[in-house]
Amino acid sequence: MISGRYGQKPSELGQGLKSITERISEMGMGEMCIREFIDKAKSYMEMPNPTPKLLRVFIRRVEVYEKFENYSRACGNPIVIRLVF
């Protein structure tokens, strides 16, 4: 009876070890993805030379209103640019 339980213990421990190893590898993969994201975010935060493509990422919407004076070529349309921040 005792030897039967002893035979079951190593197999249970082996399965537990396997599941723990899988969880550790998943955590390592998650940590690697987080580090990649942080590195990319840092490159966007510094923006030494902002490009139009990069600026479009931060624009939520552009609001263009009517002119103050109708049919005027000198009077421009008021524009409001809403950013994601």
Side-chain angles (χ1 to χ4, degrees):
M1 191 162 138
I2 293 174
S3 65
R5 283 191 226 158
Y6 180 75
Q8 290 175 348
K9 282 284 184 182
S11 64
E12 291 174 7
L13 291 174
Q15 289 176 349
L17 180 62
K18 185 178 178 181
S19 67
I20 290 172
T21 306
E22 289 174 0
R23 288 181 60 197
I24 289 172
S25 65
E26 288 175 5
M27 292 171 134
M29 187 63 138
E31 183 180 341
M32 186 174 68
C33 291
I34 290 170
R35 287 182 188 203
E36 287 179 16
F37 173 77
I38 290 172
D39 291 340
K40 288 181 182 179
K42 284 181 182 178
S43 68
Y44 284 123
M45 296 280 292
E46 293 171 6
M47 278 193 266
N49 298 322
T51 62
K53 183 178 179 181
L54 180 63
L55 292 175
R56 278 188 223 115
V57 171
F58 296 107
I59 295 175
R60 185 180 337 158
R61 70 174 184 251
V62 177
E63 300 172 358
V64 181
Y65 296 98
E66 293 182 20
K67 294 180 180 181
F68 293 121
E69 297 176 25
N70 292 335
Y71 308 110
S72 172
R73 292 184 184 201
C75 180
N77 294 43
I79 298 175
V80 177
I81 300 173
R82 304 284 180 188
L83 300 175
V84 177
F85 306 111

